[in-house]
Amino acid sequence: MKTVVLLYETCCIYEIVITNYFLQCTGHEIVFATVDGKSVTAQEKFSMNATCALREIDPKDVELLLVPGGDISTIDNEEVYSFIRAVVDNKGIVAGICNGVDELDNAGVLTGIESTHSTNDDLVVGEYVITARANMYVDMAIAIGKKMNLFADEADLQETIDFWKLHKTF
């Protein structure tokens, strides 16, 4: 099983860096996919190389699909929608943050479930869908970690929470 990070022009990498760090530290395979398999430039001006094109991935092999925010116009299409729906249909987790939530909504996976689009909550964790507002990137990473059992035990989880509480800068 693998985690797929959907990269696209202007995607906001900072929103998913902590999640990626947690996954990497726990030995999860992370695949960076673009629609066409080509590199993109993130909002932060990082040049990001894709591991592969999205169509090269079997949705049945995806344990987590991360959709960061940004200008989703380049991924706002049926190919991406179908992939998102297939991951959820196969009981994989799909997490969208900021405009990534719009992409999940456009794909139809938010219909009938609670999300940041249907509530005033900044973070909503469902059975297979996690949605977060842009400012919730730390909380989303922790929620994904809890959902995927990335923490060794309760003490590990609490240590992580305490660390990030110290680093909040608002």
Side-chain angles (χ1 to χ4, degrees):
M1 298 297 281
K2 59 188 80 172
T3 291
V4 175
V5 177
L6 181 57
L7 299 177
Y8 55 94
E9 289 295 324
T10 77
C11 63
C12 295
I13 296 305
Y14 81 88
E15 295 174 339
I16 58 167
V17 167
I18 297 168
T19 301
N20 285 351
Y21 176 75
F22 289 170
L23 291 160
Q24 185 67 35
C25 287
T26 55
H28 288 257
E29 180 183 358
I30 303 172
V31 174
F32 295 93
T34 59
V35 172
D36 59 7
K38 296 180 181 176
S39 64
V40 296
T41 302
Q43 182 68 37
E44 302 86 353
K45 301 302 180 199
F46 295 120
S47 178
M48 308 288 294
N49 292 322
T51 308
C52 62
L54 193 61
R55 66 183 162 277
E56 297 173 37
I57 301 168
D58 185 343
K60 293 177 185 169
D61 296 333
V62 178
E63 65 180 336
L64 171 65
L65 171 63
L66 281 175
V67 184
D71 177 0
I72 61 170
S73 64
T74 60
I75 59 166
D76 217 11
N77 61 64
E78 187 55 40
E79 178 185 358
V80 176
Y81 303 157
S82 294
F83 189 85
I84 291 169
R85 288 190 300 266
V87 171
V88 173
D89 289 346
N90 286 295
K91 299 184 179 3
I93 299 167
V94 175
I97 185 165
C98 192
N99 287 348
V101 178
D102 295 339
E103 188 69 3
L104 303 186
D105 202 4
N106 294 344
V109 298
L110 301 185
T111 303
I113 66 169
E114 286 191 356
S115 71
T116 55
H117 278 191
S118 65
T119 70
N120 289 324
D121 296 331
D122 291 335
L123 174 72
V124 178
V125 179
E127 187 173 8
Y128 299 110
V129 179
I130 299 171
T131 57
R133 300 196 196 287
N135 64 326
M136 297 299 286
Y137 57 95
V138 173
D139 300 81
M140 183 184 79
I142 291 170
I144 290 169
K146 288 167 61 175
K147 188 92 168 157
M148 295 179 65
N149 298 311
L150 301 182
F151 301 106
D153 52 29
E154 191 62 34
D156 183 31
L157 169 61
Q158 193 57 53
E159 179 182 352
T160 302
I161 292 169
D162 292 344
F163 172 82
W164 286 105
K165 279 183 184 177
L166 289 173
H167 292 85
K168 287 200 175 196
T169 57
F170 37 62

